Amino acid sequence: MTANNIDLAATAIAGAAADATRTVDTHASSTYAPPSTSATSSPPPYQPHPLGPLSAAEITQSSRLVKAAWPAGTDCHFKVITLLEPAKAELVPYLTAERIGQSPRDINRRAFVVYYIRNTHNLHEASVNLTKNTVESNAKLGPFIHANADGEEIIAVERAVLSHPDILAEIAKLKLPEGTEVVSDPWIYGSDGVKDGKFYDDKRLMQCYLYMRDPKNSSELDSCHYAFPLPISPVIDPTTMELVRIDILPTGLDEKVKPLAPWQPVEANEYIPEAQILRTDLKPLNVVQPEGVSFTVENFSELGRLIKWQKWDFKVGFNQREGMVLYDVHYDNKPLFYRLSLSDMSIPYADPRHPFHRKAAFDLGDAGAGIMANNLRLGCDCLGSIYYISSVLSGSDGLPINMPNVICVHEQDAGIGWKHTNYRTNRAVVVRNRELVLQSILTVSNYEYILSFIFNTAGDVMYEARATGILSTQPVDLELSKTPHPYGTVVHPGVLGSFHQHFFSLRIDPMIGGHGNSIVYDEALAIPRDPELNPHGTGYIVQKTEIETSGGFDLDSRKNRVFKIVNPAVRNNVNGAAVGYKVMVPPVQPILADVDSFHYKRAEFADRSIYVTRYAEDELYAGGKYTNQSRGGTGVRSWANRQESLKAGDAVLWVQFGINHIPRVEDFPVMPAETIRVMMRPVNFFDRNPAIDVAPSTQALNCSVGLNGSTKDVEGQLNGLSLGCQDGTPSKCCASHTGS
């Protein structure tokens, strides 16, 4: 047996993509030197912008300044170097001036830096003023505050696990086949409040779950090791790389742990295409835009992008934690959203047995949506005519890492946008629903998340999450494979997929019609039967309730409760109502862990579909700034519980959505994508359908192909309504496809 294998795929939990290339800084040195200002220097290609993601030079400058603040030889392990966004009071006037063509007042560029003194538990955060070339603040953080994992650390933990003699001795008890390759998946340890000998959660730890590749094909690096979970789980201190203890996993129906016994052979279950008999009857479906795309992209900074499409315009940023962030979103020059981002994610698991009771991932806070982003591939991840946005993030050494193609931008047809047929004239007017998609894909060890902002021509903004990838599996006794399990689904002989919930928190900082927004909700309520007002018992009304203080709120399908963002100072020209946008949220079962559990305390956003808070600087993440082994009390529930007045008109809306994943056999060895979507839709914002001016769909433009013979024959056979095209005459581009 070989037990020193390093499974590089698992390092995606917190490391840069495998094909990311390191940025080389030609000025790297131990002492920071400001850029030359001599007359021979070339001017920077882009002017700094307050919302532009940190450039490679700024990342390097930030780490140099932090290191220079310590005695020579101090080794810093950098966790985060990212843009520290300006205060809203500074940024709003800047963006307003920029939009009307005036020269905005300069705002200092700042970086937020999180780092350890290497080989210690001493965690610091610093604010670096890049404009003034100085460290403005630096603070050592207190107990129970831990930074995210990173790629360097994950690889080191895997090596430590798979080379430790005590762990190898436990693996030997399984009597695995000769040549077996063991794989380690390090997990953030989680929290349970226990402190008893080798059981504690106050120091930063990692719980490692062990697997093996198919022993019949152990040289296959992409073998699905999740089909071969092992009952051994070491706990490692990632700071010292010391083994804390070795947990033996329960594999029955209860909490009892059995002595390790020889492994019982099972067949592999692979997802890679070469292991399948592939279909041969699925024909190509090409997305073609012969005249090019309808959007434009400009650089508003070195790495920031300004996108314009069908009356929409917005800025796109990218950072280590949130990944894609949208700023200053307008439609037809009308302000809608100040800032949009996925704020947080939590995935609490349902198995109450040790050590699974601590299993809860916070993929953004524990790792980072940006650093986990895939290098998207043309023709695979995104179809059609694609514009890619790349970025630069920081490594553990404080140097920049190129992150190519982390966002793809493209258009797609989404069916009919609107249609009406006048049955008196048989004329049908059809408008297709064109969408602009900004997509990023994250790999978090076993799981993939496909995350998208989607815009359409009717003024709607959507946020879509698709969950795919592979279940994080655990071993179950082979003889129990066909016995119902209380905490999961057997998805393969000897393999249990544990029940778990996925929670996403979308942060919406609105400026519908301008700043000064309020949050209300509408409810449809039946009118009591009344001999005069409602004699037939059919009437109902819509009642509006304004949310006046911060708090958490639930959906209620029985009342059709709909939450809206409105601007009471701006009225609709047609009906005088406050202009607004409604937020259409898919229902999700709240977190099932009880209120005294650490799952509940830590996932502060997972108990309500809606939270409303008063805007405050530095409150961006629903689970709190530091989620690794967190204790709760620093996230959106705590902020909402301040019961602050929202009369000032600066509310922030936090929208929670997700799935309760009860695994199926069909979810293994790889899960078909499950899709959930939040929609923000105008309500009394426009004076009419904003997509009324979209050109109708015609065969001359769309070049569809009739498969039932000629187009005229088909329409003649139907002897009825027009099939939606305004002009039945095919254009030159599709005349050859009309059949014969």
Side-chain angles (χ1 to χ4, degrees):
M1 180 194 69
T2 302
N4 60 355
N5 170 65
I6 301 299
D7 180 49
L8 294 179
T11 66
I13 186 172
D19 51 0
T21 57
R22 172 68 76 178
T23 297
V24 177
D25 179 13
T26 57
H27 297 288
S29 66
S30 59
T31 304
Y32 173 74
S36 171
T37 56
S38 67
T40 58
S41 298
S42 299
Y46 304 104
Q47 291 298 316
H49 190 284
L51 292 176
L54 292 187
S55 66
E58 288 176 321
I59 289 171
T60 303
Q61 178 186 358
S62 299
S63 61
R64 285 176 181 160
L65 287 170
V66 167
K67 287 189 284 189
W70 289 90
T74 303
D75 193 358
C76 297
H77 184 154
F78 291 94
K79 289 293 187 173
V80 176
I81 304 176
T82 193
L83 175 70
L84 182 58
E85 294 178 12
K88 200 173 193 178
E90 279 189 291
L91 189 55
V92 169
Y94 184 102
L95 295 175
T96 301
E98 182 182 56
R99 180 162 287 275
I100 62 177
Q102 296 180 354
S103 296
R105 183 178 179 180
D106 289 341
I107 298 176
N108 288 346
R109 294 272 293 170
R110 289 180 170 87
F112 176 68
V113 182
V114 180
Y115 65 99
Y116 284 99
I117 303 302
R118 196 176 290 275
N119 301 322
T120 76
H121 290 278
N122 298 332
L123 180 63
H124 296 257
E125 65 176 28
S127 172
V128 176
N129 189 317
L130 297 163
T131 304
K132 296 182 178 180
N133 197 36
T134 185
V135 177
E136 290 185 323
S137 66
N138 184 81
K140 180 181 177 182
L141 303 180
F144 302 112
I145 299 178
H146 309 288
N148 51 287
D150 63 68
E152 174 196 324
E153 196 170 69
I154 293 292
I155 293 174
V157 168
E158 290 187 0
R159 287 178 176 149
V161 165
L162 297 176
S163 61
H164 197 286
D166 292 353
I167 299 172
L168 297 180
E170 293 299 308
I171 293 174
K173 296 176 183 178
L174 301 176
K175 300 187 182 301
L176 301 177
E178 187 67 28
T180 294
E181 294 283 348
V182 174
V183 177
S184 172
D185 268 18
W187 270 67
I188 296 296
Y189 186 76
S191 301
D192 59 10
V194 173
K195 189 171 179 63
D196 182 13
K198 294 183 177 181
F199 294 83
Y200 54 85
D201 66 354
D202 52 341
K203 291 184 179 180
R204 195 163 60 99
L205 299 172
M206 284 191 174
Q207 184 96 39
C208 301
Y209 294 99
L210 301 188
Y211 304 86
M212 68 177 182
R213 296 187 195 142
D214 177 10
K216 297 179 182 177
N217 189 20
S218 59
S219 63
E220 175 53 70
L221 298 178
D222 291 310
S223 174
C224 182
H225 56 267
Y226 297 102
F228 300 98
L230 303 177
I232 299 168
S233 182
V235 176
I236 297 289
D237 182 329
T239 299
T240 63
M241 295 299 155
E242 294 175 341
L243 175 65
V244 175
R245 67 175 191 272
I246 301 175
D247 291 335
I248 305 302
L249 304 180
T251 57
L253 302 177
D254 56 24
E255 75 284 356
K256 296 183 180 64
V257 173
K258 303 171 185 176
L260 295 177
W263 175 73
Q264 295 178 267
V266 296
E267 291 300 314
N269 199 340
E270 304 289 9
Y271 66 89
I272 52 178
E274 54 268 34
Q276 322 303 326
I277 300 175
L278 298 177
R279 306 178 191 189
T280 58
D281 57 348
L282 192 61
K283 297 181 179 180
L285 194 162
N286 297 323
V287 179
V288 179
Q289 293 182 269
E291 298 179 14
V293 298
S294 305
F295 61 88
T296 63
V297 183
E298 304 169 22
N299 289 26
F300 74 84
S301 74
E302 182 174 342
L303 294 169
R305 299 293 180 263
L306 172 64
I307 294 181
K308 297 179 181 180
W309 177 80
Q310 293 298 296
K311 302 184 182 181
W312 289 101
D313 70 88
F314 50 87
K315 294 178 174 68
V316 184
F318 192 84
N319 64 51
Q320 184 270 345
R321 179 163 179 160
E322 298 163 292
M324 178 167 44
V325 182
L326 304 187
Y327 305 98
D328 202 30
V329 180
H330 286 66
Y331 185 95
D332 201 16
N333 211 35
K334 298 177 175 66
L336 293 178
F337 302 101
Y338 176 73
R339 192 182 193 276
L340 293 172
S341 70
L342 182 65
S343 164
D344 229 323
M345 290 170 55
S346 179
I347 305 91
Y349 280 71
D351 195 329
R353 301 172 297 174
H354 175 83
F356 305 119
H357 69 287
R358 279 182 278 93
K359 196 172 183 182
F362 288 76
D363 291 336
L364 273 62
D366 291 351
I371 200 69
M372 296 182 296
N374 290 188
N375 181 349
L376 303 177
R377 302 296 187 180
L378 195 64
C380 301
D381 299 306
C382 316
L383 297 182
S385 300
I386 310 299
Y387 178 87
Y388 290 103
I389 299 176
S390 299
S391 195
V392 175
L393 299 177
S394 59
S396 58
D397 54 6
L399 296 178
I401 298 174
N402 283 340
M403 300 291 293
N405 301 347
V406 288
I407 301 172
C408 65
V409 185
H410 63 99
E411 294 175 280
Q412 66 184 19
D413 180 273
I416 292 175
W418 64 264
K419 175 176 180 174
H420 179 65
T421 300
N422 186 336
Y423 71 87
R424 297 171 181 85
T425 64
N426 284 347
R427 180 182 178 184
V429 180
V430 184
V431 168
R432 302 295 297 178
N433 183 21
R434 181 78 64 89
E435 292 180 337
L436 180 73
V437 180
L438 285 80
Q439 176 179 283
S440 188
I441 303 178
L442 323 178
T443 297
V444 195
S445 192
N446 54 297
Y447 252 104
E448 266 75 21
Y449 296 100
I450 304 167
L451 305 175
S452 305
F453 281 104
I454 302 171
F455 299 81
N456 68 18
T457 54
D460 300 332
V461 186
M462 290 143 281
Y463 189 82
E464 182 181 274
R466 300 187 183 200
T468 180
I470 303 177
L471 294 165
S472 176
T473 59
Q474 59 196 64
V476 64
D477 293 338
L478 197 56
E479 61 270 20
L480 297 176
S481 290
K482 295 188 178 180
T483 301
H485 199 284
Y487 309 125
T489 303
V490 175
V491 295
H492 184 70
V495 179
L496 187 70
S498 178
F499 305 146
H500 57 282
Q501 294 176 276
H502 294 255
F503 295 101
F504 302 82
S505 180
L506 180 67
R507 184 180 182 275
I508 303 173
D509 190 345
M511 55 175 187
I512 304 297
H515 293 276
N517 292 178
S518 300
I519 310 298
V520 303
Y521 59 86
D522 288 348
E523 295 176 319
L525 304 175
I527 303 173
R529 184 179 285 264
D530 181 271
E532 294 184 3
L533 179 63
N534 188 26
H536 302 289
T538 57
Y540 70 90
I541 61 169
V542 175
Q543 178 177 288
K544 181 180 77 172
T545 302
E546 182 176 353
I547 298 174
E548 298 182 345
T549 57
S550 61
F553 303 88
D554 297 317
L555 304 178
D556 189 343
S557 61
R558 295 170 300 175
K559 298 180 180 179
N560 191 46
R561 183 177 293 164
V562 176
F563 291 84
K564 297 193 300 184
I565 309 163
V566 299
N567 191 330
V570 182
R571 297 287 167 166
N572 183 274
N573 291 328
V574 176
N575 61 16
V579 298
Y581 261 66
K582 66 179 178 179
V583 183
M584 303 167 69
V585 187
V588 59
Q589 185 177 23
I591 187 170
L592 288 166
D594 73 39
V595 297
D596 294 320
S597 70
F598 278 91
H599 278 3
Y600 181 93
K601 292 176 182 178
R602 300 176 66 209
E604 293 210 14
F605 51 94
D607 57 333
R608 312 298 288 265
S609 290
I610 298 289
Y611 270 105
V612 184
T613 62
R614 184 172 175 172
Y615 179 87
E617 297 295 339
D618 205 31
E619 291 184 355
L620 292 175
Y621 314 122
K625 187 184 294 185
Y626 298 97
T627 59
N628 187 353
Q629 294 177 221
S630 57
R631 318 290 277 194
T634 60
V636 69
R637 186 192 302 131
S638 300
W639 306 332
N641 287 343
R642 294 191 298 242
Q643 292 289 293
E644 293 178 304
S645 172
L646 301 175
K647 287 294 186 181
D650 203 5
V652 176
L653 190 66
W654 310 75
V655 178
Q656 282 63 244
F657 58 103
I659 56 177
N660 189 343
H661 192 177
I662 310 302
R664 315 166 298 154
V665 173
E666 293 88 347
D667 289 334
F668 200 71
V670 66
M671 174 184 168
E674 186 156 346
T675 304
I676 40 180
R677 178 183 278 198
V678 174
M679 175 182 281
M680 291 159 274
R681 166 160 278 193
V683 175
N684 301 318
F685 187 86
F686 300 99
D687 294 346
R688 62 204 303 232
N689 178 354
I692 199 75
D693 58 352
V694 177
S697 176
T698 67
Q699 171 64 358
L701 290 175
N702 294 329
C703 301
S704 296
V705 178
L707 300 179
N708 301 80
S710 72
T711 303
K712 292 181 179 179
D713 287 344
V714 173
E715 293 189 353
Q717 291 170 16
L718 290 173
N719 193 26
L721 302 178
S722 162
L723 294 181
C725 294
Q726 295 299 295
D727 180 1
T729 304
S731 67
K732 293 181 180 179
C733 72
C734 50
S736 60
H737 299 298
T738 56
S740 59

